[in-house]
């Protein structure tokens, strides 16, 4: 199995330096990961360092809280694409979902999807803050808004991915969107259990050690 092709090689911490981003890109090329995932301010740097490789540039929008205004998120997405991002992982407005302003949540996802066109949009629902019912609703809204993926977590909440939540999300999207697990996936066993559960992408900063473990 080419586990490397499931991996979005990720660094999103506030303290990430230019040198860290360059190292991330070098590792992604060496291990042939699907993409690197970086904050939007580093998209052009990542793009430059991945030139000539197959590794895509993924970025995050409205990260990690999701509570920014819709126009700000749309602008961030458009700007990132202009600078070379090929995939966008956006955080939903969690407070609006919990306030049951479901149309607003859907309209925001739709606006970002329209802003990036045919590029891949992954919708981070931040499962750790949601009830089981809200996880289902958020997943259904993402599908309605034409998102390509529903994603578990930012990795900055009080918990990350779980197989139980992936099962809920899988059932909710009913084959109409793909699944990305992220948050706390640190070893090969965990990665394989998520792939077995049906995820098509894994966001992790432990990609190198996971592949090394596989090649043991």
């Amino acid at each position: 199995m080419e586990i490397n092709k499931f991996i979005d090689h990720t660094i999103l911490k506030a303290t990430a330096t230019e040198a860290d981003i360059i190292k991330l890109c070098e590792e992604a090329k060496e291990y042939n990961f699907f993409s690197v995932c970086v904050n939007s301010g580093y998209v052009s740097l990542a793009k430059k360092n991945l030139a000539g490789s197959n590794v895509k540039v993924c970025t995050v929008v409205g990260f990690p809280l999701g509570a920014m205004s819709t126009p700000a998120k749309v602008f961030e997405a458009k700007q990132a694409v202009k600078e070379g991002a090929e995939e966008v992982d956006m955080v939903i407005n969690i407070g609006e979902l919990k306030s049951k302003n479901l149309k607003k949540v859907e309209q925001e996802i739709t606006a970002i999807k329209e802003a990036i066109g045919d590029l891949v949009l992954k919708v981070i629902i931040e499962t750790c803050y949601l009830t089981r019912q809200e996880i289902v609703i958020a997943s259904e809204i993402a599908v309605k808004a034409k998102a390509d993926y529903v994603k578990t977590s930012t990795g900055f909440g009080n918990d990350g991915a779980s197989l139980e939540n992936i099962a809920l999300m899988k059932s909710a999207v009913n084959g109409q969107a793909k699944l990305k697990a992220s948050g706390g996936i640190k070893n090969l066993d965990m990665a394989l259990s998520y792939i077995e559960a049906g995820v098509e992408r894994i966001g992790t900063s432990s990609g190198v050690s996971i592949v090394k473990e596989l090649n043991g």
Side-chain angles (χ1 to χ4, degrees):
M1 176 202 278
E2 287 190 290
I3 201 166
N4 51 311
K5 284 304 182 190
F6 284 85
I7 291 176
D8 290 341
H9 192 38
T10 303
I11 190 164
L12 295 166
K13 59 187 183 185
T15 52
T17 61
E18 285 195 1
D20 291 331
I21 303 299
I22 293 164
K23 179 172 180 253
L24 186 84
C25 293
E26 292 307 314
E27 289 170 347
K29 286 187 285 191
E30 183 183 344
Y31 291 92
N32 198 19
F33 291 129
F34 189 89
S35 79
V36 299
C37 187
V38 296
N39 279 300
S40 60
Y42 283 127
V43 166
S44 54
L45 179 65
K47 190 72 179 171
K48 189 175 107 184
N49 281 276
L50 291 168
S53 78
N54 298 322
V55 181
K56 292 185 185 295
V57 178
C58 168
T59 195
V60 289
V61 161
F63 193 88
L65 302 178
M68 303 72 180
S69 71
T70 296
K73 287 180 174 174
V74 169
F75 180 86
E76 186 179 19
K78 279 184 176 166
Q79 185 62 27
V81 168
K82 203 184 283 183
E83 291 177 14
E86 295 156 279
E87 299 195 342
V88 169
D89 291 18
M90 66 161 286
V91 187
I92 64 163
N93 191 311
I94 298 155
E96 294 285 21
L97 181 80
K98 288 192 157 293
S99 304
K100 299 193 170 44
N101 294 330
L102 307 184
K103 200 73 204 155
K104 264 190 175 174
V105 177
E106 184 187 335
Q107 284 166 343
E108 180 173 273
I109 301 169
T110 301
I112 293 170
K113 181 58 184 166
E114 284 171 358
I116 70 170
D118 292 337
L119 299 181
V120 167
L121 177 65
K122 309 190 203 92
V123 173
I124 306 171
I125 63 174
E126 200 68 297
T127 49
C128 64
Y129 296 138
L130 306 181
T131 64
R132 286 173 64 87
Q133 188 189 15
E134 286 166 344
I135 289 169
V136 169
I137 291 167
S139 302
E140 289 171 347
I141 289 173
V143 167
K144 260 184 162 168
K146 306 279 192 291
D148 301 281
Y149 280 79
V150 183
K151 174 178 167 183
T152 55
S153 322
T154 60
F156 287 75
N158 56 25
D159 204 0
S162 77
L163 290 168
E164 183 192 1
N165 287 338
I166 283 291
L168 271 181
M169 291 159 68
K170 186 179 182 180
S171 149
V173 301
N174 196 23
Q176 294 175 278
K178 297 172 181 175
L179 301 169
K180 176 174 172 180
S182 65
I185 302 167
K186 292 187 171 8
N187 60 48
L188 180 63
D189 275 354
M190 289 177 89
L192 290 173
S193 64
Y194 281 104
I195 291 167
E196 209 171 285
V199 311
E200 293 191 40
R201 208 76 70 74
I202 288 167
T204 180
S205 53
S206 306
V208 171
S209 58
I210 287 170
V211 172
K212 280 182 173 168
E213 208 183 325
L214 181 68
N215 298 336

